Coordinates of all heavy atoms in Angstrom, one line a residue:
M1 N -7.5 2.6 -11.9 CA -6.3 2.8 -12.7 C -6.5 4.0 -13.6 O -7.5 4.2 -14.2 CB -6.0 1.6 -13.5 CG -5.5 0.4 -12.7 SD -4.8 -0.8 -13.8 CE -6.0 -2.1 -13.6
K2 N -5.5 4.9 -13.5 CA -5.5 6.0 -14.4 C -4.5 5.8 -15.6 O -3.6 5.1 -15.5 CB -5.0 7.3 -13.6 CG -6.0 7.7 -12.6 CD -5.7 9.1 -12.0 CE -4.3 9.1 -11.3 NZ -4.0 10.3 -10.7
S3 N -4.8 6.5 -16.7 CA -4.0 6.4 -17.9 C -3.7 7.8 -18.4 O -4.6 8.6 -18.3 CB -4.8 5.5 -18.9 OG -3.9 5.3 -20.0
S4 N -2.5 8.0 -18.8 CA -2.1 9.3 -19.3 C -1.0 9.1 -20.4 O -0.4 8.1 -20.5 CB -1.6 10.2 -18.2 OG -0.4 9.7 -17.7
R5 N -0.9 10.1 -21.3 CA 0.1 10.1 -22.3 C 1.3 11.0 -21.9 O 1.1 12.0 -21.3 CB -0.4 10.6 -23.6 CG -1.4 9.6 -24.2 CD -1.7 9.7 -25.6 NE -0.7 9.6 -26.6 CZ -0.1 8.5 -27.0 NH1 -0.3 7.4 -26.4 NH2 0.8 8.6 -28.0
T6 N 2.5 10.6 -22.2 CA 3.7 11.4 -21.9 C 4.8 11.1 -22.9 O 4.7 10.2 -23.6 CB 4.2 11.1 -20.5 OG1 5.2 12.0 -20.1 CG2 4.8 9.7 -20.4
N7 N 5.7 12.0 -23.0 CA 6.9 11.8 -23.8 C 8.0 11.2 -23.1 O 8.4 11.7 -22.0 CB 7.3 13.2 -24.4 CG 6.3 13.8 -25.4 OD1 5.6 13.1 -26.0 ND2 6.3 15.1 -25.5
I8 N 8.6 10.2 -23.6 CA 9.8 9.6 -23.1 C 10.8 9.5 -24.2 O 10.6 8.8 -25.2 CB 9.5 8.2 -22.5 CG1 8.5 8.2 -21.4 CG2 10.8 7.6 -22.0 CD1 8.1 6.9 -20.8
G9 N 11.8 10.4 -24.1 CA 12.7 10.5 -25.3 C 11.9 11.3 -26.4 O 11.3 12.3 -26.1
N10 N 12.0 10.7 -27.6 CA 11.2 11.4 -28.7 C 9.9 10.7 -29.0 O 9.2 11.0 -29.9 CB 12.1 11.3 -29.9 CG 13.3 12.2 -29.8 OD1 13.2 13.2 -29.1 ND2 14.4 11.9 -30.4
A11 N 9.5 9.7 -28.2 CA 8.3 8.9 -28.5 C 7.2 9.3 -27.5 O 7.5 9.6 -26.3 CB 8.6 7.4 -28.4
H12 N 6.0 9.1 -27.9 CA 4.8 9.3 -27.0 C 4.5 7.9 -26.5 O 4.4 6.9 -27.2 CB 3.7 9.9 -27.8 CG 3.9 11.2 -28.4 ND1 3.9 12.4 -27.6 CD2 4.2 11.7 -29.6 CE1 4.2 13.4 -28.3 NE2 4.4 13.0 -29.6
H13 N 4.2 7.8 -25.2 CA 3.9 6.6 -24.6 C 2.6 6.8 -23.7 O 2.4 7.8 -23.1 CB 5.0 6.1 -23.7 CG 6.2 5.6 -24.4 ND1 6.3 4.4 -25.0 CD2 7.3 6.3 -24.7 CE1 7.4 4.2 -25.6 NE2 8.1 5.4 -25.5
E14 N 1.8 5.7 -23.7 CA 0.7 5.7 -22.8 C 1.2 5.1 -21.5 O 1.8 4.0 -21.5 CB -0.4 4.8 -23.4 CG -1.7 4.8 -22.6 CD -2.5 6.0 -22.9 OE1 -2.3 6.7 -24.0 OE2 -3.4 6.4 -22.1
I15 N 0.9 5.7 -20.3 CA 1.3 5.2 -19.0 C 0.1 4.9 -18.2 O -0.8 5.7 -18.1 CB 2.2 6.2 -18.3 CG1 3.5 6.5 -19.0 CG2 2.5 5.7 -16.9 CD1 4.3 7.5 -18.4
E16 N 0.0 3.7 -17.7 CA -1.1 3.2 -16.9 C -0.7 3.1 -15.5 O 0.3 2.4 -15.2 CB -1.6 1.9 -17.4 CG -2.8 1.3 -16.7 CD -3.2 0.0 -17.2 OE1 -2.6 -0.5 -18.1 OE2 -4.1 -0.6 -16.5
E17 N -1.4 3.8 -14.6 CA -1.1 3.7 -13.2 C -1.8 2.5 -12.6 O -3.0 2.3 -12.7 CB -1.6 5.0 -12.5 CG -1.2 5.1 -11.0 CD -1.7 6.3 -10.4 OE1 -1.4 7.4 -10.9 OE2 -2.4 6.2 -9.3
I18 N -1.0 1.6 -11.9 CA -1.5 0.4 -11.4 C -2.0 0.6 -9.9 O -3.0 0.2 -9.5 CB -0.5 -0.7 -11.5 CG1 -0.2 -1.0 -12.9 CG2 -0.9 -2.0 -10.8 CD1 1.0 -1.9 -13.2
G19 N -1.1 1.3 -9.1 CA -1.5 1.6 -7.8 C -0.3 1.5 -6.8 O 0.8 1.3 -7.3
P20 N -0.5 1.8 -5.5 CA 0.6 1.8 -4.6 C 1.2 0.4 -4.4 O 0.5 -0.6 -4.4 CB 0.0 2.3 -3.3 CG -1.5 2.2 -3.5 CD -1.8 2.1 -4.9
V21 N 2.5 0.4 -4.2 CA 3.3 -0.9 -4.0 C 4.3 -0.6 -2.9 O 4.7 0.5 -2.7 CB 3.9 -1.4 -5.3 CG1 2.9 -1.9 -6.3 CG2 4.8 -0.4 -5.9
E22 N 4.8 -1.7 -2.3 CA 5.8 -1.7 -1.4 C 6.6 -3.0 -1.4 O 6.0 -4.1 -1.5 CB 5.3 -1.4 0.0 CG 6.4 -1.3 1.1 CD 5.8 -1.0 2.5 OE1 4.7 -0.4 2.5 OE2 6.5 -1.3 3.5
G23 N 7.9 -2.9 -1.4 CA 8.7 -4.1 -1.3 C 9.9 -4.0 -0.4 O 10.5 -2.9 -0.3
R24 N 10.2 -5.0 0.4 CA 11.2 -5.0 1.4 C 12.1 -6.2 1.2 O 11.6 -7.4 1.1 CB 10.7 -5.0 2.8 CG 11.7 -4.8 3.9 CD 11.0 -4.7 5.2 NE 12.0 -4.4 6.2 CZ 11.9 -4.8 7.5 NH1 10.8 -5.5 7.9 NH2 12.8 -4.5 8.3
R25 N 13.4 -6.1 1.2 CA 14.4 -7.2 1.1 C 15.5 -6.9 2.2 O 15.8 -5.8 2.4 CB 15.0 -7.2 -0.2 CG 14.1 -7.6 -1.4 CD 13.4 -8.9 -1.2 NE 14.4 -10.0 -1.1 CZ 14.4 -11.1 -1.8 NH1 13.4 -11.3 -2.7 NH2 15.3 -12.0 -1.7
C26 N 15.9 -8.0 2.8 CA 16.9 -7.9 3.9 C 18.1 -8.8 3.7 O 18.0 -9.8 3.0 CB 16.2 -8.3 5.2 SG 14.9 -7.2 5.7
R27 N 19.2 -8.4 4.3 CA 20.4 -9.2 4.3 C 20.8 -9.4 5.7 O 20.9 -8.4 6.5 CB 21.5 -8.5 3.5 CG 22.8 -9.3 3.5 CD 23.8 -8.6 2.5 NE 25.1 -9.4 2.4 CZ 25.3 -10.3 1.5 NH1 24.4 -10.6 0.6 NH2 26.5 -10.9 1.5
F28 N 21.1 -10.6 6.1 CA 21.5 -10.9 7.5 C 22.9 -11.3 7.7 O 23.5 -11.8 6.7 CB 20.6 -12.1 8.0 CG 19.1 -11.8 7.9 CD1 18.4 -12.0 6.8 CD2 18.5 -11.3 9.1 CE1 17.1 -11.8 6.7 CE2 17.1 -11.1 9.0 CZ 16.4 -11.3 7.9
F29 N 23.5 -11.0 8.8 CA 24.9 -11.3 9.1 C 24.9 -12.0 10.5 O 24.4 -11.5 11.5 CB 25.7 -10.1 9.2 CG 25.8 -9.3 8.0 CD1 24.8 -8.2 7.8 CD2 26.7 -9.5 7.0 CE1 24.9 -7.5 6.6 CE2 26.7 -8.7 5.8 CZ 25.8 -7.7 5.7
F30 N 25.5 -13.2 10.5 CA 25.7 -14.0 11.7 C 27.1 -13.9 12.1 O 28.0 -14.2 11.4 CB 25.3 -15.4 11.6 CG 25.4 -16.2 12.8 CD1 24.6 -16.0 13.9 CD2 26.4 -17.2 12.9 CE1 24.8 -16.8 15.1 CE2 26.6 -18.0 14.0 CZ 25.7 -17.7 15.1
V31 N 27.4 -13.4 13.3 CA 28.7 -13.2 13.9 C 29.6 -12.3 12.9 O 30.8 -12.4 12.8 CB 29.5 -14.5 14.2 CG1 30.7 -14.3 15.0 CG2 28.6 -15.5 14.9
N32 N 28.9 -11.5 12.1 CA 29.5 -10.6 11.2 C 30.4 -11.2 10.2 O 31.3 -10.6 9.6 CB 30.3 -9.4 11.9 CG 30.2 -8.1 11.2 OD1 29.3 -7.9 10.4 ND2 31.2 -7.3 11.4
I33 N 30.3 -12.5 10.0 CA 31.1 -13.3 9.0 C 30.2 -14.0 8.0 O 30.6 -14.0 6.8 CB 31.9 -14.3 9.8 CG1 32.9 -13.7 10.7 CG2 32.7 -15.2 8.8 CD1 33.7 -14.6 11.6
F34 N 29.1 -14.5 8.4 CA 28.3 -15.3 7.5 C 27.1 -14.5 7.0 O 26.1 -14.5 7.7 CB 27.8 -16.6 8.2 CG 28.9 -17.4 8.8 CD1 29.2 -17.4 10.1 CD2 29.8 -18.2 7.9 CE1 30.2 -18.2 10.7 CE2 30.8 -18.9 8.5 CZ 31.0 -18.9 9.8
P35 N 27.1 -13.9 5.8 CA 26.0 -13.2 5.3 C 25.0 -14.1 4.5 O 25.5 -15.0 3.8 CB 26.7 -12.1 4.4 CG 27.9 -12.8 3.9 CD 28.3 -13.8 5.0
W36 N 23.8 -13.7 4.5 CA 22.8 -14.3 3.5 C 21.7 -13.4 3.3 O 21.4 -12.5 4.1 CB 22.3 -15.7 4.1 CG 21.4 -15.7 5.2 CD1 20.0 -15.7 5.2 CD2 21.7 -15.6 6.6 NE1 19.5 -15.6 6.4 CE2 20.5 -15.6 7.3 CE3 22.9 -15.6 7.3 CZ2 20.4 -15.5 8.7 CZ3 22.8 -15.5 8.7 CH2 21.6 -15.5 9.4
G37 N 21.1 -13.5 2.1 CA 20.0 -12.6 1.7 C 20.5 -11.5 0.8 O 21.7 -11.4 0.5
D38 N 19.6 -10.7 0.3 CA 19.9 -9.7 -0.7 C 19.1 -8.4 -0.3 O 17.9 -8.4 -0.4 CB 19.5 -10.1 -2.1 CG 19.8 -9.2 -3.2 OD1 20.4 -8.1 -2.9 OD2 19.5 -9.5 -4.3
S39 N 19.8 -7.4 0.1 CA 19.1 -6.1 0.5 C 19.3 -5.0 -0.5 O 19.2 -3.8 -0.1 CB 19.6 -5.7 1.9 OG 21.0 -5.3 1.8
T40 N 19.7 -5.3 -1.7 CA 19.9 -4.3 -2.7 C 18.6 -3.6 -3.1 O 17.5 -4.1 -2.9 CB 20.5 -4.8 -4.0 OG1 19.7 -5.8 -4.5 CG2 21.9 -5.5 -3.7
T41 N 18.7 -2.4 -3.6 CA 17.5 -1.6 -4.0 C 16.8 -2.3 -5.2 O 15.6 -2.4 -5.2 CB 17.9 -0.2 -4.5 OG1 18.6 0.4 -3.4 CG2 16.7 0.6 -4.8
G42 N 17.6 -2.9 -6.1 CA 17.0 -3.7 -7.2 C 16.1 -4.8 -6.7 O 15.1 -5.1 -7.3
A43 N 16.6 -5.5 -5.7 CA 15.8 -6.7 -5.1 C 14.5 -6.2 -4.5 O 13.5 -6.8 -4.7 CB 16.7 -7.4 -4.1
A44 N 14.6 -5.1 -3.8 CA 13.4 -4.5 -3.2 C 12.4 -4.0 -4.2 O 11.2 -4.2 -4.1 CB 13.8 -3.4 -2.2
L45 N 12.9 -3.4 -5.3 CA 12.1 -3.0 -6.4 C 11.4 -4.2 -7.1 O 10.2 -4.1 -7.4 CB 13.0 -2.2 -7.4 CG 12.3 -1.7 -8.7 CD1 11.2 -0.7 -8.4 CD2 13.3 -1.2 -9.6
D46 N 12.2 -5.2 -7.3 CA 11.6 -6.4 -7.9 C 10.5 -7.0 -7.1 O 9.4 -7.4 -7.5 CB 12.6 -7.5 -8.2 CG 13.6 -7.1 -9.3 OD1 13.3 -6.2 -10.1 OD2 14.7 -7.7 -9.4
K47 N 10.7 -7.0 -5.7 CA 9.7 -7.5 -4.8 C 8.4 -6.7 -4.8 O 7.3 -7.2 -4.8 CB 10.3 -7.5 -3.4 CG 9.4 -8.0 -2.3 CD 9.3 -9.5 -2.4 CE 8.5 -10.0 -1.1 NZ 8.3 -11.4 -1.2
A48 N 8.6 -5.3 -4.9 CA 7.5 -4.4 -5.0 C 6.6 -4.6 -6.2 O 5.4 -4.6 -6.2 CB 7.9 -3.0 -4.9
L49 N 7.3 -4.9 -7.3 CA 6.6 -5.0 -8.6 C 6.1 -6.4 -8.9 O 5.2 -6.6 -9.8 CB 7.5 -4.6 -9.8 CG 7.8 -3.1 -9.9 CD1 8.8 -2.8 -11.0 CD2 6.5 -2.3 -10.1
Q50 N 6.5 -7.4 -8.1 CA 6.2 -8.8 -8.3 C 4.7 -9.0 -8.2 O 4.0 -8.6 -7.3 CB 6.8 -9.6 -7.2 CG 6.7 -11.1 -7.3 CD 7.4 -11.8 -6.1 OE1 7.7 -11.2 -5.1 NE2 7.6 -13.1 -6.3
G51 N 4.1 -9.6 -9.3 CA 2.7 -9.9 -9.3 C 1.8 -8.7 -9.7 O 0.6 -8.9 -9.7
T52 N 2.4 -7.5 -10.0 CA 1.5 -6.4 -10.3 C 1.4 -6.2 -11.8 O 0.5 -5.5 -12.2 CB 2.0 -5.1 -9.7 OG1 3.3 -4.8 -10.3 CG2 2.2 -5.2 -8.2
G53 N 2.3 -6.7 -12.6 CA 2.4 -6.4 -14.0 C 3.0 -5.0 -14.3 O 3.1 -4.6 -15.4
G54 N 3.5 -4.3 -13.2 CA 4.1 -3.0 -13.4 C 5.5 -3.1 -13.9 O 6.2 -4.2 -13.8
Q55 N 6.0 -2.1 -14.6 CA 7.3 -2.0 -15.2 C 8.2 -1.0 -14.5 O 9.4 -1.1 -14.7 CB 7.2 -1.7 -16.7 CG 6.4 -2.7 -17.5 CD 6.2 -2.3 -18.9 OE1 5.7 -1.2 -19.1 NE2 6.5 -3.1 -19.8
A56 N 7.6 -0.1 -13.7 CA 8.4 0.9 -13.1 C 7.7 1.4 -11.8 O 6.5 1.1 -11.7 CB 8.7 2.1 -14.0
I57 N 8.4 2.2 -11.0 CA 7.7 2.8 -9.8 C 8.0 4.3 -9.9 O 9.1 4.7 -10.2 CB 8.3 2.2 -8.5 CG1 7.8 0.8 -8.4 CG2 7.8 3.0 -7.3 CD1 8.3 0.1 -7.1
V58 N 7.0 5.1 -9.8 CA 7.1 6.6 -9.8 C 6.7 7.1 -8.4 O 6.1 6.4 -7.6 CB 6.2 7.3 -10.8 CG1 6.7 6.9 -12.2 CG2 4.8 6.9 -10.6
N59 N 7.1 8.3 -8.1 CA 6.9 8.9 -6.8 C 7.4 8.0 -5.7 O 6.7 7.7 -4.7 CB 5.4 9.3 -6.5 CG 4.9 10.2 -7.5 OD1 5.6 11.1 -8.0 ND2 3.6 10.1 -7.9
S60 N 8.6 7.5 -5.8 CA 9.2 6.5 -5.0 C 10.0 7.0 -3.8 O 10.5 8.1 -3.8 CB 10.0 5.5 -5.8 OG 11.1 6.2 -6.3
T61 N 10.0 6.2 -2.8 CA 10.8 6.4 -1.6 C 11.7 5.2 -1.3 O 11.1 4.1 -1.4 CB 10.0 6.7 -0.3 OG1 9.1 7.8 -0.6 CG2 10.8 7.0 0.9
V62 N 12.9 5.3 -1.0 CA 13.8 4.2 -0.7 C 14.3 4.4 0.7 O 14.9 5.5 1.0 CB 14.9 4.0 -1.7 CG1 15.9 2.9 -1.3 CG2 14.4 3.9 -3.1
I63 N 14.1 3.4 1.6 CA 14.6 3.5 2.9 C 15.5 2.3 3.2 O 15.2 1.2 2.9 CB 13.4 3.5 3.9 CG1 12.4 4.6 3.6 CG2 13.9 3.5 5.4 CD1 11.1 4.4 4.3
T64 N 16.7 2.6 3.7 CA 17.6 1.6 4.1 C 17.9 1.7 5.6 O 18.1 2.8 6.2 CB 19.0 1.7 3.4 OG1 18.7 1.7 2.0 CG2 19.9 0.6 3.7
S65 N 17.8 0.5 6.3 CA 18.0 0.5 7.7 C 19.0 -0.6 8.2 O 19.1 -1.6 7.5 CB 16.7 0.4 8.5 OG 16.0 -0.7 8.0
L66 N 19.6 -0.4 9.3 CA 20.6 -1.4 9.8 C 20.2 -1.7 11.3 O 20.0 -0.7 12.1 CB 22.0 -0.9 9.7 CG 23.1 -1.7 10.4 CD1 23.2 -3.1 9.6 CD2 24.4 -1.0 10.4
Y67 N 20.1 -2.9 11.6 CA 19.7 -3.4 12.9 C 20.8 -4.3 13.5 O 21.3 -5.1 12.7 CB 18.4 -4.1 13.0 CG 17.2 -3.3 12.3 CD1 16.9 -3.5 11.0 CD2 16.5 -2.4 13.1 CE1 15.8 -2.8 10.4 CE2 15.5 -1.7 12.5 CZ 15.2 -1.9 11.2 OH 14.1 -1.2 10.6
G68 N 21.0 -4.2 14.8 CA 22.0 -5.1 15.4 C 21.5 -5.6 16.7 O 20.9 -4.9 17.5
F69 N 21.8 -6.9 17.0 CA 21.4 -7.4 18.3 C 22.7 -7.8 19.0 O 23.6 -8.4 18.4 CB 20.6 -8.7 18.1 CG 19.3 -8.3 17.4 CD1 19.1 -8.5 16.1 CD2 18.2 -7.8 18.1 CE1 18.0 -8.2 15.4 CE2 17.0 -7.5 17.5 CZ 16.9 -7.7 16.1
V70 N 22.9 -7.4 20.2 CA 24.1 -7.6 21.0 C 25.2 -7.0 20.2 O 26.1 -7.7 19.7 CB 24.4 -9.1 21.4 CG1 25.5 -9.2 22.4 CG2 23.1 -9.8 21.8
P71 N 25.2 -5.7 20.0 CA 26.1 -5.0 19.1 C 27.6 -5.1 19.5 O 28.5 -5.0 18.6 CB 25.7 -3.5 19.1 CG 24.8 -3.4 20.3 CD 24.3 -4.7 20.6
I72 N 27.9 -5.3 20.7 CA 29.3 -5.4 21.1 C 29.9 -6.6 20.5 O 31.1 -6.6 20.0 CB 29.4 -5.5 22.7 CG1 28.9 -4.3 23.3 CG2 30.8 -5.8 23.1 CD1 28.8 -4.3 24.8
Y73 N 29.2 -7.7 20.4 CA 29.7 -9.0 19.8 C 29.3 -9.2 18.4 O 29.8 -10.2 17.7 CB 29.3 -10.2 20.7 CG 29.7 -10.0 22.1 CD1 28.8 -9.7 23.1 CD2 31.1 -10.1 22.5 CE1 29.2 -9.6 24.4 CE2 31.5 -9.9 23.8 CZ 30.5 -9.7 24.8 OH 30.9 -9.5 26.1
N74 N 28.4 -8.4 17.8 CA 27.9 -8.6 16.5 C 27.4 -10.0 16.2 O 27.7 -10.6 15.2 CB 29.0 -8.3 15.4 CG 29.1 -6.8 15.2 OD1 28.1 -6.1 15.3 ND2 30.2 -6.3 14.9
V75 N 26.6 -10.5 17.2 CA 26.1 -11.9 17.0 C 25.2 -12.0 15.8 O 25.3 -12.9 15.0 CB 25.3 -12.3 18.3 CG1 24.7 -13.6 18.2 CG2 26.3 -12.3 19.5
L76 N 24.2 -11.1 15.7 CA 23.3 -11.0 14.6 C 23.0 -9.6 14.2 O 22.6 -8.8 15.1 CB 22.0 -11.8 14.9 CG 20.9 -11.8 13.8 CD1 21.4 -12.5 12.6 CD2 19.6 -12.3 14.3
S77 N 23.1 -9.3 13.0 CA 22.7 -8.0 12.5 C 22.1 -8.2 11.1 O 22.3 -9.2 10.5 CB 23.9 -7.0 12.4 OG 24.9 -7.5 11.6
F78 N 21.3 -7.2 10.8 CA 20.7 -7.2 9.4 C 20.4 -5.8 8.9 O 20.2 -4.9 9.7 CB 19.5 -8.1 9.4 CG 18.3 -7.7 10.2 CD1 17.3 -7.0 9.6 CD2 18.2 -8.0 11.5 CE1 16.1 -6.6 10.3 CE2 17.1 -7.6 12.3 CZ 16.1 -6.9 11.7
T79 N 20.4 -5.7 7.6 CA 20.1 -4.5 6.9 C 19.0 -4.7 6.0 O 18.9 -5.8 5.3 CB 21.3 -3.9 6.2 OG1 21.0 -2.7 5.6 CG2 21.9 -4.8 5.2
C80 N 18.0 -3.8 5.9 CA 16.9 -3.9 5.1 C 16.7 -2.7 4.2 O 17.0 -1.6 4.6 CB 15.6 -4.1 5.9 SG 15.5 -5.7 6.8
T81 N 16.2 -2.9 3.0 CA 15.9 -1.8 2.0 C 14.4 -2.0 1.7 O 13.9 -3.0 1.3 CB 16.8 -1.9 0.8 OG1 18.1 -1.8 1.1 CG2 16.4 -0.8 -0.2
T82 N 13.7 -0.9 1.8 CA 12.3 -0.8 1.5 C 12.0 0.2 0.4 O 12.5 1.3 0.5 CB 11.4 -0.4 2.8 OG1 11.7 -1.3 3.8 CG2 9.9 -0.4 2.5
V83 N 11.3 -0.2 -0.6 CA 10.9 0.7 -1.7 C 9.4 0.8 -1.7 O 8.7 -0.1 -1.6 CB 11.4 0.1 -3.1 CG1 10.8 0.9 -4.2 CG2 12.9 -0.1 -3.2
K84 N 8.9 2.1 -1.7 CA 7.5 2.4 -1.7 C 7.3 3.4 -2.9 O 8.1 4.2 -3.2 CB 7.1 3.1 -0.5 CG 7.2 2.3 0.8 CD 6.8 3.1 2.0 CE 7.0 2.4 3.3 NZ 6.6 3.2 4.5
G85 N 6.1 3.3 -3.5 CA 5.8 4.2 -4.6 C 4.5 3.7 -5.3 O 3.7 2.9 -4.8
V86 N 4.3 4.2 -6.5 CA 3.2 3.9 -7.4 C 3.7 3.1 -8.6 O 4.5 3.6 -9.3 CB 2.4 5.2 -7.8 CG1 1.3 4.8 -8.7 CG2 2.0 5.9 -6.6
A87 N 3.2 1.9 -8.8 CA 3.6 1.1 -9.9 C 2.9 1.6 -11.2 O 1.7 2.0 -11.1 CB 3.2 -0.4 -9.7
V88 N 3.6 1.6 -12.3 CA 3.1 2.0 -13.6 C 3.5 1.0 -14.7 O 4.5 0.3 -14.5 CB 3.5 3.4 -14.0 CG1 3.0 4.5 -13.1 CG2 5.0 3.5 -14.1
R89 N 2.7 1.0 -15.7 CA 3.0 0.2 -16.9 C 3.0 1.0 -18.1 O 2.1 1.9 -18.3 CB 1.9 -1.0 -17.0 CG 2.1 -1.9 -18.1 CD 1.0 -3.0 -18.2 NE -0.2 -2.6 -17.4 CZ -0.7 -3.4 -16.5 NH1 -0.2 -4.6 -16.2 NH2 -1.9 -3.1 -15.9
F90 N 3.9 0.8 -19.1 CA 4.0 1.5 -20.3 C 3.3 0.7 -21.4 O 3.2 -0.5 -21.4 CB 5.5 1.8 -20.7 CG 6.2 2.5 -19.7 CD1 7.1 1.9 -18.8 CD2 6.1 3.9 -19.5 CE1 7.8 2.6 -17.9 CE2 6.8 4.6 -18.6 CZ 7.7 3.9 -17.7
D91 N 2.9 1.4 -22.5 CA 2.3 0.7 -23.6 C 3.3 0.0 -24.4 O 4.4 0.1 -24.4 CB 1.5 1.7 -24.5 CG 2.5 2.7 -25.2 OD1 3.6 2.9 -24.8 OD2 2.0 3.4 -26.1

């Protein structure tokens, strides 16, 4: 873990680097009518930080994808959001 000082607004803060994290959340659709799950960026971010003690992610990448099975009839489809980056904690 690395630690550094930076300015956020008018205050000086100590930032501790926790390490690389990744979180993925998906939302499913059955017959394109019945949705379940949560594929928002916030949900993927929460999943990535879960259990790390981190408060934010820096150097991040957000990827959203959509998958469909039997696309003519939309029997089952789902969309996923993946967040990757480095978790940090502020003093």
Side-chain angles (χ1 to χ4, degrees):
M1 288 194 247
K2 293 190 298 186
S3 185
S4 64
R5 290 197 60 71
T6 189
N7 292 332
I8 300 175
N10 291 330
H12 297 286
H13 291 277
E14 188 79 23
I15 297 176
E16 180 183 356
E17 183 179 309
I18 298 170
V21 292
E22 180 175 338
R24 183 176 189 213
R25 296 300 301 232
C26 297
R27 181 173 181 93
F28 299 86
F29 300 91
F30 180 69
V31 193
N32 212 24
I33 297 174
F34 306 105
W36 72 94
D38 184 1
S39 66
T40 61
T41 303
L45 176 65
D46 290 343
K47 181 74 171 177
L49 290 174
Q50 184 178 18
T52 66
Q55 297 171 312
I57 294 181
V58 296
N59 299 329
S60 62
T61 303
V62 178
I63 302 166
T64 301
S65 52
L66 175 64
Y67 305 96
F69 300 97
V70 192
I72 296 172
Y73 304 108
N74 280 328
V75 175
L76 177 66
S77 61
F78 64 98
T79 181
C80 294
T81 301
T82 304
V83 174
K84 297 179 183 181
V86 178
V88 295
R89 177 180 23 234
F90 302 102
D91 65 346

